[in-house]
Every structure is written in structure tokens, then in C-alpha cells.
Amino acid sequence: MSRGGGKGLSLKDKLDGNELDLSLCDLNEVPVRELAALPKATILDLSCNNLISLPSDFCSLMHLVKLDLSKNRLQQLPLDFGRLINLQHLDLLNNRLVTLPVSFAQLKNLKWLDLKDNPLDPVLAKVAGDCLDEKQCKQAAVKVLQHMKAIQSEQDRQRQQKLQAEREMEKKREAEQRAKEAQERELRKREKAEEKERRRREYDAQKAAKQEMEKKTKKETVHTRKPASSSRPAQRPRHKLSWSRSVLRVLLFVLFCILCTLAACKLTELQHQPLCVSVNTLYEDVVAALQNHKTLQNMLQHNSK
């Protein structure tokens, strides 16, 4: 590793027991991979370099117990800086830090902290105080940890409230959705019942119309049959009249024949024939009988008078 973040300088040459001094190396970045290969280096000095930020994998160096990052240009620490749970001594003197990550509250083994000469947030600066001696630096570690724990608790509380609000909102949405679904089911049920009732009414109407049609057809059939039965007697006089006419015609024909026969027997040469003799005799007897009947009738009329 070389100055300016180059490579070529072995970290093992810098290692002295469990102390690794990388100060004044003009570093622009931290050689995390090489540091991770040296778990014995629990004390790391990165002071007086050109570090602007620390990579997120820097927090994997959980074997660190003492860390000196003073006199760099750090503007912020990684969000998961609290993973360095074995850290007991932390020097952040003369950087450009304004706030600390909330995970800082997880550094439960931190006993010493120096935040002097940083443009800290006024509240954080007041909590940290000065670090002019061992006692003040220890107090700074305790107070800052308490402050960050309070911030973490408040954030957790807010997060819980937000989560609770989201859950309540979700429950409310679910309740509204269930109510909406229940309303839709009720609406579909009502529509189905109305459709069923409509179909039932249509069925009843069709059935009633069918019955009415059958009744009407039956009545028409009965009325049609009655005139047929009553027409039969009316036809009888017609048949009787036709029969009377036929008889009258026969009688007229017979009378005509008799008259013709009588005329033939009286006026023609057939009068001497036996048949005509009988006819003439019969004719004369009938005339005599009629005359006697007329004479008797006149007598009766005269007696009555």
C-alpha cells in the first residue's frame, strides 16, 4: 500500500503486536480487505489522513477495540457503524461530522469518546461536552451513548407508531373492503331475489294466461257444440217440409194421371175399352156420391134453419 491509497506497502510491516499504525499515510480510502485479514490488529490508527468517508464494509471489522480517526475530513459515519460492538475507544477529533448514525447507540462497550473540533449539531455538541481529559472523554462516551439511545428509542417509537398506524390503516382498508364485499354480496343477493321474484311472476302470469286460454277455448268448444245440437231439430221441419212437398207432388202427379186417364176415356175412342168402361163407371159413382152428399148437406142446412 502506498500514499494516496496506492498499493505496495505491506500492513504487516506496520503491525506492532495488536497495534496497527496507518497514520500520516496520506490515505484517501481505508484498505478494509487487508485489515480484515489481520484480526489481531485490535488497535487501529488512521489519524492524519485524507479520509472523507468510510466504506460500508468497514463496519465488518468487528475485532477493533480502539480506533483513531482524528484529523481527517470525515463528513459522516456509515449507517451501521454500531456493528463495531467491541469498540471501547473512539477518537473523532477534528473532522467534519455534524451528526452520528443512530446505530451509534449499539456501541455498548464504548468507554472513551472525543468529538471536539467537529461542526456538531448544537444538541449533540452540548451532550458531548469537552474532552480535555480522561474523565471528560469517558463522560462524553456515556452521555453520547445515552443521547443516541434516546434518539434510537424515539425513532423506534415513531417507527412503531408509523407501523401501528399503517397496520390500523391496513385493518381499516380491509374492514372497508370486507364491508364493500358484504354490500356487493347483499346487492347481488337482492338482485338475485328480485330476478327470481320477477321470473316467478312471469311464470304465474304465463300460467294464468294459459289457464284463461284453455278456459276460453273450452267455452268456445261448448258454444260451438250447442248450436250443432240445436240445429238438428231445426233441420227436421226442413226434412219434413221436403217430404210433404214430395208427397204433394206425387199426389198431384197421380191426380194429373187420373185426370188424363179420365179425359182419355171420356173424349177419345178408348171409352169403349174395358179399362175405360171401369174408369167411367167409377167416375159416375163418385159424381153421384158427391151430389148425394151435397143434397144431404142442403137438407141438413134447411132443417137447422
Side-chain angles (χ1 to χ4, degrees), residues 133-149:
D133 53 31
E134 188 74 12
K135 182 179 179 180
Q136 288 182 344
C137 292
K138 288 182 178 181
Q139 288 178 351
V142 173
K143 291 180 179 180
V144 169
L145 282 178
Q146 291 177 349
H147 177 69
M148 298 309 298
K149 286 180 181 179

Side-chain angles (χ1 to χ4, degrees), residues 208-238:
K210 185 177 180 181
Q211 291 177 352
E212 185 66 23
M213 183 64 68
E214 290 177 353
K215 185 183 293 185
K216 186 176 180 181
T217 304
K218 188 175 181 181
K219 285 183 179 180
E220 290 177 353
T221 304
V222 171
H223 289 315
T224 303
R225 288 177 180 176
K226 284 183 178 179
S229 60
S230 61
S231 63
R232 291 177 182 176
Q235 291 176 358
R236 290 177 184 177
R238 184 179 300 176

Side-chain angles (χ1 to χ4, degrees), residues 24 46-51 68-74 91-96 116-118:
L24 300 170
L46 291 170
S47 62
C48 302
N49 282 292
N50 298 317
L51 300 177
D68 189 352
L69 291 169
S70 61
K71 298 181 180 179
N72 279 280
R73 294 184 293 171
L74 295 173
D91 192 346
L92 294 170
L93 171 70
N94 195 9
N95 277 279
R96 299 178 181 177
K116 290 193 311 296
D117 298 331
N118 279 282

Side-chain angles (χ1 to χ4, degrees), residues 6 14 30 44 54 73 75 86 97 102 106 111 114 134 153 169 187 203 257 259 266-267 283 293 305:
K14 294 280 188 177
V30 180
L44 177 61
L54 299 177
R73 294 184 293 171
Q75 298 179 2
N86 294 313
L97 298 173
V102 178
Q106 300 173 12
K111 302 295 188 297
D114 188 357
E134 188 74 12
S153 299
M169 185 63 67
L187 180 60
Y203 173 78
C257 292
L259 291 175
K266 284 288 186 181
L267 302 176
Y283 173 73
H293 176 70
K305 288 180 180 181

Side-chain angles (χ1 to χ4, degrees), residues 62-238:
M62 299 174 62
H63 59 277
L64 294 178
V65 175
K66 183 177 181 179
L67 177 62
D68 189 352
L69 291 169
S70 61
K71 298 181 180 179
N72 279 280
R73 294 184 293 171
L74 295 173
Q75 298 179 2
Q76 61 182 6
L77 297 178
L79 295 178
D80 55 348
F81 192 81
R83 291 176 59 193
L84 302 176
I85 56 175
N86 294 313
L87 197 61
Q88 300 179 14
H89 187 286
L90 178 59
D91 192 346
L92 294 170
L93 171 70
N94 195 9
N95 277 279
R96 299 178 181 177
L97 298 173
V98 177
T99 60
L100 297 175
V102 178
S103 65
F104 199 91
Q106 300 173 12
L107 301 177
K108 58 183 180 179
N109 292 314
L110 190 64
K111 302 295 188 297
W112 194 96
L113 177 62
D114 188 357
L115 287 171
K116 290 193 311 296
D117 298 331
N118 279 282
L120 297 174
D121 177 80
V123 177
L124 180 58
K126 184 177 180 180
V127 171
D130 293 329
C131 183
L132 301 177
D133 53 31
E134 188 74 12
K135 182 179 179 180
Q136 288 182 344
C137 292
K138 288 182 178 181
Q139 288 178 351
V142 173
K143 291 180 179 180
V144 169
L145 282 178
Q146 291 177 349
H147 177 69
M148 298 309 298
K149 286 180 181 179
I151 293 176
Q152 186 180 44
S153 299
E154 179 63 21
Q155 289 187 355
D156 291 342
R157 187 183 65 82
Q158 292 178 357
R159 190 180 300 109
Q160 288 296 327
Q161 288 180 348
K162 183 178 180 181
L163 183 61
Q164 184 66 23
E166 290 177 352
R167 289 176 179 174
E168 291 178 357
M169 185 63 67
E170 182 65 24
K171 289 181 180 179
K172 184 178 180 181
R173 284 196 295 267
E174 291 177 356
E176 291 177 352
Q177 182 66 23
R178 287 194 297 269
K180 183 178 180 181
E181 291 175 355
Q183 186 177 4
E184 290 177 352
R185 286 196 299 270
E186 185 64 24
L187 180 60
R188 288 195 296 270
K189 185 177 179 181
R190 185 162 58 250
E191 290 177 349
K192 187 176 180 180
E194 291 176 355
E195 177 66 17
K196 185 176 181 180
E197 180 63 19
R198 185 185 64 79
R199 292 173 62 187
R200 187 188 66 80
R201 288 197 299 268
E202 289 180 354
Y203 173 78
D204 292 342
Q206 291 176 358
K207 187 176 180 181
K210 185 177 180 181
Q211 291 177 352
E212 185 66 23
M213 183 64 68
E214 290 177 353
K215 185 183 293 185
K216 186 176 180 181
T217 304
K218 188 175 181 181
K219 285 183 179 180
E220 290 177 353
T221 304
V222 171
H223 289 315
T224 303
R225 288 177 180 176
K226 284 183 178 179
S229 60
S230 61
S231 63
R232 291 177 182 176
Q235 291 176 358
R236 290 177 184 177
R238 184 179 300 176

